[in-house]
Amino acid sequence: MKALLLAAGREGLELARGVGGMAVLLGRLARRLWPPRADRDELVRSLHGMAVQSLPLVVVTALFVGAIMVVQAAPLVRSFGAEGLVGWAAGFGTLREIAPLLTALMISGRVGSNTTAELGTMVITEQIDALRVLAIDPYGFLVLPRFLALVATLFMMTLWADLLALAGAAATSQLLLGVEPASFFAGVTGGLLGFVDVASGLVKSVAFGSAAARRGSVAPSPPPSSPAPRRCSSATTSSASCSHERAPRPRPGRPRHRRAPRAHGGGGALR
């Protein structure tokens, strides 16, 4: 019983530490949003790495998502003879749920691991400490540009995924059901789907992007007293990066050189 209580207490502390770290991070980023303190060059570089280089992955995923939605709806549509509603059936699930969810999953996995390796290496090699020594804000220079870039990337990639998924669904419905693309898109825009359905998916993409960006900047496990490589490995598996807080960083194979003691004589010791 005691062991169970101790385990529950540890899990509760870990959860509280993770939630608290994310709340503190959001507060620090909100303070830097106005006046904007994000580094422009770093923001452009992050947008290129997250959005442009993720476009092939989003294209392939979205095309197959649209095709699979039609494949799943085809038997039901045939049984009722309602081929004209296949556009609505594919568009409703794609625009509201599937496209933002799978786009966030693909980009979070790719960008999260990349950010983990990048920021984790900066922590281990003490580049974060070097930025502080140079009076450069690590949050404004490193964290905020990546946060904004990931949110903007998921929003834009969700728009692309919606269009490409509908294109893939239209092509698949023509091959499987003989429904012309004009009839397919007439079912999409015939009044059954509205702006609220599209906006719902876009709002979810912003929420997913902010959640992935927050998780990518705070690693709630393992505890900060553990070595930085272990924290980086744990964060990688959950698409997160190492925490920017200082922690003991043992360096095997590299003995720590101490400064020679000052001589107590007339001349100074050679250092």
Side-chain angles (χ1 to χ4, degrees):
M1 185 65 180
K2 182 179 179 180
L4 181 61
L5 292 177
L6 288 176
R10 282 194 297 267
E11 292 297 328
L13 289 176
E14 288 295 327
L15 179 61
R17 192 170 69 89
V19 173
M22 291 185 183
V24 171
L25 175 65
L26 278 180
R28 291 176 177 177
L29 293 181
R31 288 170 50 193
R32 290 162 176 82
L33 283 176
W34 189 263
R37 304 182 196 175
D39 186 78
R40 182 177 302 177
D41 295 336
E42 190 70 16
L43 178 60
V44 172
R45 190 186 70 85
S46 299
L47 281 173
H48 178 268
M50 295 180 184
V52 178
Q53 296 183 0
S54 298
L55 191 57
L57 179 64
V58 174
V59 169
V60 174
T61 303
L63 289 175
F64 278 98
V65 164
I68 290 173
M69 293 296 291
V70 173
V71 169
Q72 294 294 323
L76 185 63
V77 168
R78 279 177 176 165
S79 62
F80 287 96
E83 285 80 1
L85 294 178
V86 66
W88 170 81
F92 183 81
T94 300
L95 297 178
R96 290 182 65 96
E97 303 292 343
I98 304 300
L101 180 62
L102 288 184
T103 303
L105 182 63
M106 295 296 105
I107 292 183
S108 177
R110 178 188 175 276
V111 174
S113 59
N114 182 39
T115 305
T116 300
E118 191 174 21
L119 294 182
T121 303
M122 289 182 181
V123 173
I124 295 173
T125 57
E126 299 181 351
Q127 297 181 44
I128 305 295
D129 296 334
L131 289 176
R132 292 193 178 100
V133 170
L134 295 173
I136 298 176
D137 182 17
Y139 289 92
F141 185 73
L142 295 175
V143 182
L144 186 57
R146 286 167 173 80
F147 184 92
L148 297 176
L150 186 52
V151 173
T153 295
L154 272 177
F155 183 83
M156 294 184 293
M157 291 298 105
T158 301
L159 286 174
W160 275 106
D162 290 342
L163 296 175
L164 292 171
L166 291 178
T172 306
S173 64
Q174 185 176 16
L175 292 176
L176 293 182
L177 302 174
V179 178
E180 295 295 327
S183 301
F184 178 88
F185 286 107
V188 175
T189 60
L192 294 177
L193 290 177
F195 176 76
V196 176
D197 300 308
V198 180
S200 173
L202 296 179
V203 170
K204 290 176 183 177
S205 70
V206 174
F208 293 155
S210 61
R214 290 197 310 269
R215 187 60 183 88
S217 301
V218 178
S221 60
S225 58
S226 61
R230 181 184 170 192
R231 289 189 291 140
C232 291
S233 174
S234 174
T236 304
T237 58
S238 57
S239 298
S241 66
C242 282
S243 174
H244 302 299
E245 298 179 358
R246 300 185 62 179
R249 289 180 286 272
R251 298 180 181 179
R254 293 184 58 185
R256 187 181 296 275
H257 298 283
R258 296 183 177 179
R259 180 175 293 181
R262 188 180 296 276
H264 295 283
L270 294 179
R271 293 186 293 273

